[in-house]
């Protein structure tokens, strides 16, 4: 049975400082779910837990009081509106959430590709694709070594432009099949979800092949996939379902490949 696009587990509201659309509210997000026939959605604003010490300096507006300021979430019959967060790792491999807060959240997605934040997620600005590939592998391997509730966790946007913007395909191309098989075999064993992000776009057939390769390998390794629009604005909500269907078709996914909460 074809994979059914019935959820979105990566959505931002105005609580995320990078969300500049005042209309991107929980009520609007719930209406998006109603209009597209989703049965589950998750609000995943950026978050760094103040209880976690880090050498890096983090944005105060992404603390716990801001994260919880949206509660209680609006309700609609037949839709489970989950409360989660998007997490980062600092340049020392510290994940920005305490065990206590993690236990309170329904789902968290971890951004291993947020490499544009020099001084935070990376020590210094990444200059070459080789650096990007090495750091991405280091981050995901570090994450997989942690004792975490992986059954309610995912890896966000693994092929979007956060690594080196337009050079991101060059970074992905440098990841060997062996490295990717090792990483995704471990993800599958841990039960860690892999995000299908609607911002994955292709400027050429060559780029399409490069950017889809990690997902095909993850599928071959037995990973489970969830859908994430990573929407920061209402216009992105308007096209999310169509983009979900497109990537489901490209990867030939079935319901058995779905990550479920």
């Amino acid at each position: 049975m074809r994979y059914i696009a019935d959820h979105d587990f990566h959505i931002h509201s105005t609580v995320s400082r990078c969300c500049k659309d005042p209309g991107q509210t929980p009520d609007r997000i719930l209406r998006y779910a109603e209009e597209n026939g989703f049965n589950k959605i998750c609000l995943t604003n950026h978050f760094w837990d103040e209880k976690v010490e880090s050498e890096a300096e983090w944005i105060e507006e992404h603390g716990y009081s801001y994260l919880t300021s949206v509660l209680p979430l609006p309700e609609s019959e037949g839709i489970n509106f989950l409360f989660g967060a998007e997490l980062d790792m600092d340049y020392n491999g510290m994940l920005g959430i305490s065990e206590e807060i993690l236990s309170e959240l329904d789902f968290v997605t971890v951004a291993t590709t947020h490499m544009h934040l020099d001084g935070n997620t990376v020590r210094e600005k990444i200059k070459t694709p080789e650096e990007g590939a090495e750091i991405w592998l280091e981050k995901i391997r570090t994450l997989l070594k942690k004792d975490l509730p992986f059954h309610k966790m995912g890896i966000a946007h693994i092929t979007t432009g956060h690594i080196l913007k337009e050079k991101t395909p060059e970074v992905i191309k440098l990841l060997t099949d062996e490295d990717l098989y090792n990483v995704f075999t471990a993800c599958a064993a841990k039960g860690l979800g892999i995000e299908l992000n609607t911002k994955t776009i292709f400027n050429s057939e060559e780029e399409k092949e490069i950017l889809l390769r990690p997902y095909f390998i993850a599928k071959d390794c037995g990973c489970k996939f969830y859908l994430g629009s990573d929407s920061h604005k209402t216009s992105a909500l308007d096209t999310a379902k169509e983009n979900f269907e497109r990537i489901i078709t490209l990867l030939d996914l079935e319901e058995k490949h779905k990550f479920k909460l």
Side-chain angles (χ1 to χ4, degrees):
M1 181 180 178
R2 176 183 166 86
Y3 187 114
I4 300 171
D6 57 6
H7 67 276
D8 186 340
F9 291 163
H10 187 171
I11 316 173
H12 295 267
S13 74
T14 52
V15 169
S16 288
R17 202 173 79 160
C18 50
C19 175
K20 308 297 184 183
D21 184 348
Q24 186 83 348
T25 64
D27 285 322
R28 174 65 182 89
I29 291 166
L30 182 60
R31 191 166 81 249
Y32 151 70
E34 292 171 336
E35 292 169 348
N36 288 281
F38 294 161
N39 55 45
K40 281 186 182 178
I41 51 173
C42 189
L43 191 61
T44 51
N45 284 308
H46 293 290
F47 174 58
W48 184 275
D49 191 341
E50 301 94 325
K51 296 179 181 179
V52 176
E53 294 185 7
S54 172
E55 290 181 13
E57 293 184 6
W58 294 92
I59 300 170
E60 183 180 344
E61 289 87 347
H62 286 162
Y64 190 62
S65 63
Y66 288 87
L67 187 72
T68 57
S69 65
V70 298
L71 299 177
L73 293 172
E75 298 180 0
S76 180
E77 185 176 356
I79 298 174
N80 190 0
F81 202 156
L82 305 174
F83 179 58
E86 180 175 5
L87 307 178
D88 276 297
M89 297 174 67
D90 71 10
Y91 50 71
N92 289 321
M94 183 68 67
L95 187 65
I97 192 168
S98 62
E99 184 177 344
E100 176 188 356
I101 301 303
L102 182 54
S103 68
E104 295 179 10
L105 300 180
D106 298 313
F107 175 72
V108 294
T109 183
V110 182
T112 56
T113 54
H114 275 173
M115 299 186 199
H116 56 303
L117 303 174
D118 45 295
N120 295 87
T121 55
V122 293
R123 194 174 295 274
E124 298 176 348
K125 184 178 178 63
I126 295 176
K127 298 181 176 67
T128 67
E130 287 77 12
E131 285 181 272
E134 181 180 353
I135 291 173
W136 183 79
L137 283 171
E138 179 184 351
K139 279 184 175 293
I140 196 165
R141 286 167 176 163
T142 298
L143 178 68
L144 287 163
K145 289 177 183 177
K146 297 181 183 294
D147 183 16
L148 295 166
F150 290 109
H151 66 279
K152 64 172 188 177
M153 299 179 66
I155 294 291
H157 43 57
I158 61 175
T159 59
T160 55
H162 293 86
I163 306 175
L164 271 178
K165 296 185 178 180
E166 68 277 357
K167 292 187 177 180
T168 293
E170 294 181 41
V171 177
I172 303 300
K173 194 173 181 178
L174 288 168
L175 300 170
T176 68
D177 282 0
E178 181 180 6
D179 283 334
L180 290 174
Y181 268 100
N182 287 337
V183 161
F184 289 125
T185 296
C187 287
K190 297 278 188 178
L192 183 62
I194 306 300
E195 182 172 295
L196 299 178
N197 188 275
T198 63
K199 293 184 179 180
T200 301
I201 57 175
F202 318 111
N203 297 316
S204 66
E205 282 300 313
E206 180 186 11
E207 186 172 291
K208 175 180 173 182
E209 183 177 342
I210 292 169
L211 295 181
L212 286 180
R213 180 174 64 102
Y215 299 105
F216 277 118
I217 290 177
K219 179 183 174 183
D220 197 34
C221 291
C223 288
K224 304 298 183 181
F225 300 91
Y226 67 93
L227 304 170
S229 63
D230 193 13
S231 171
H232 287 67
K233 54 188 178 181
T234 56
S235 59
L237 298 177
D238 293 337
T239 58
K241 179 71 175 288
E242 178 183 351
N243 290 332
F244 287 152
E245 295 292 358
R246 177 177 59 90
I247 197 142
I248 288 168
T249 297
L250 286 170
L251 295 173
D252 193 23
L253 295 179
E254 300 178 5
E255 274 290 285
K256 66 181 181 182
H257 299 119
K258 182 177 288 182
F259 175 83
K260 298 180 179 180
L261 287 173

